[in-house]
Amino acid sequence: MKNNSYIEMLEVTLQLGEHTMVVHPTVIRDGNGYVLIDTGIPGSYGIINELLTQADIDPSAPHSIILTHQDLDHVGGLPEFKDEAAEVYAHEDDQPYIDGLKPMIKLSEEFKKGLIASLPQDLGSKFETTFSGQVKNVTRSLADGDKLPIGGGITVIHTPGHTPGHICLYHEPSKTLIAGDAMVVVNGKLQGPNPSVTPDMETALASLRKLKAYPTENVICYHGGLFQGDAQAIGELIESL
């Protein structure tokens, strides 16, 4: 779904074991190229590229990847995407997990082994190698307040709690907040992070207060999609938590 001349929110239906989920990776157009924010689960490469083509974006155009955090449904597609990307960005506090130097916080070894066994052999092997700790996935680490000259300007907002290195991205020209999993949209309403997959809720809720500083007209949540409102809605959400 085209949100404005810069931003395209994708809608991807994923099947992870017995669970079906709909997620919203986001694309920011940048000159003749683009930046893909989050990569879905293993096997998402084909459907994401198909959606890019439908949005009149050439998947083979120069592009980079920004990962909002380390969770499997955000980084699982990285093994198929990363070799084509000029840069892979992530916050410095989640970089060791994305590089495989530490086990992902919410991905047990048992689940990981079962996942690899369930994938086609070539994809399973690629996934295992990518997150083995033997290769460098993140080529550029991010910190709170970093300004990226992408699509007219993006500000990195460190919002830990859901994971240590979770980030939101603020696109100043369109006043759009790309929230990752810091917030979700449920039945058209903006809500805080999902408690069942947020190990440090106290920190996650405190992180939301930082978002009040950014005049926001659109919020894109990875789970739930687009919420259109203003910064007041974020303030009201925070006060209600």
Side-chain angles (χ1 to χ4, degrees):
M1 183 172 89
K2 189 172 184 178
N3 299 87
N4 53 63
S5 59
Y6 292 103
I7 294 178
E8 187 86 31
M9 183 186 75
L10 308 181
E11 183 170 295
V12 183
T13 300
L14 304 177
Q15 191 71 37
L16 189 58
E18 298 178 353
H19 301 285
T20 301
M21 70 175 78
V22 178
V23 299
H24 297 86
T26 301
V27 179
I28 299 180
R29 292 175 171 86
D30 185 47
N32 295 322
Y34 65 92
V35 173
L36 174 65
I37 301 169
D38 293 329
T39 64
I41 63 172
S44 298
Y45 179 83
I47 182 61
I48 288 178
N49 280 346
E50 181 180 332
L51 291 171
L52 290 175
T53 301
Q54 291 175 10
D56 200 27
I57 299 170
D58 179 2
S60 65
H63 62 279
S64 294
I65 294 168
I66 299 176
L67 300 169
T68 60
H69 61 291
Q70 62 175 278
D71 285 352
L72 179 66
D73 56 330
H74 295 256
V75 306
L78 185 63
E80 291 183 281
F81 280 103
K82 77 184 191 79
D83 290 343
E84 300 171 359
E87 299 275 11
V88 177
Y89 300 78
H91 190 272
E92 56 194 357
D93 288 349
D94 265 15
Q95 181 172 349
Y97 302 92
I98 297 169
D99 280 347
L101 298 173
K102 295 181 178 181
M104 295 179 197
I105 292 172
K106 299 171 219 172
L107 183 64
S108 71
E109 192 62 30
E110 181 181 2
F111 185 90
K112 181 180 175 181
K113 288 179 179 178
L115 172 67
I116 291 170
S118 72
L119 297 172
Q121 186 174 359
D122 59 338
L123 180 55
S125 177
K126 196 163 191 174
F127 181 91
E128 190 169 22
T129 299
T130 298
F131 298 110
S132 67
Q134 303 303 309
V135 295
K136 186 175 178 63
N137 297 320
V138 178
T139 61
R140 181 170 171 185
S141 60
L142 299 172
D144 187 50
D146 281 353
K147 306 280 189 180
L148 305 179
I150 295 169
I154 297 174
T155 301
V156 176
I157 310 167
H158 184 209
T159 48
H162 186 74
T163 69
H166 187 284
I167 59 172
C168 296
L169 301 166
Y170 179 69
H171 183 245
E172 186 172 348
S174 65
K175 297 182 179 179
T176 298
L177 179 71
I178 301 168
D181 284 357
M183 295 183 283
V184 299
V185 177
V186 179
N187 296 324
K189 295 183 178 180
L190 195 63
Q191 298 186 5
N194 184 344
S196 68
V197 287
T198 303
D200 187 349
M201 275 295 287
E202 182 177 357
T203 298
L205 297 180
S207 292
L208 292 182
R209 298 187 180 277
K210 299 169 72 171
L211 305 179
K212 293 176 68 175
Y214 298 87
T216 301
E217 295 178 358
N218 310 283
V219 180
I220 297 176
C221 298
Y222 197 68
H223 300 279
L226 179 65
F227 176 85
Q228 291 181 301
D230 53 31
Q232 182 178 349
I234 297 176
E236 291 173 352
L237 167 65
I238 292 166
E239 295 305 321
S240 70
L241 296 172

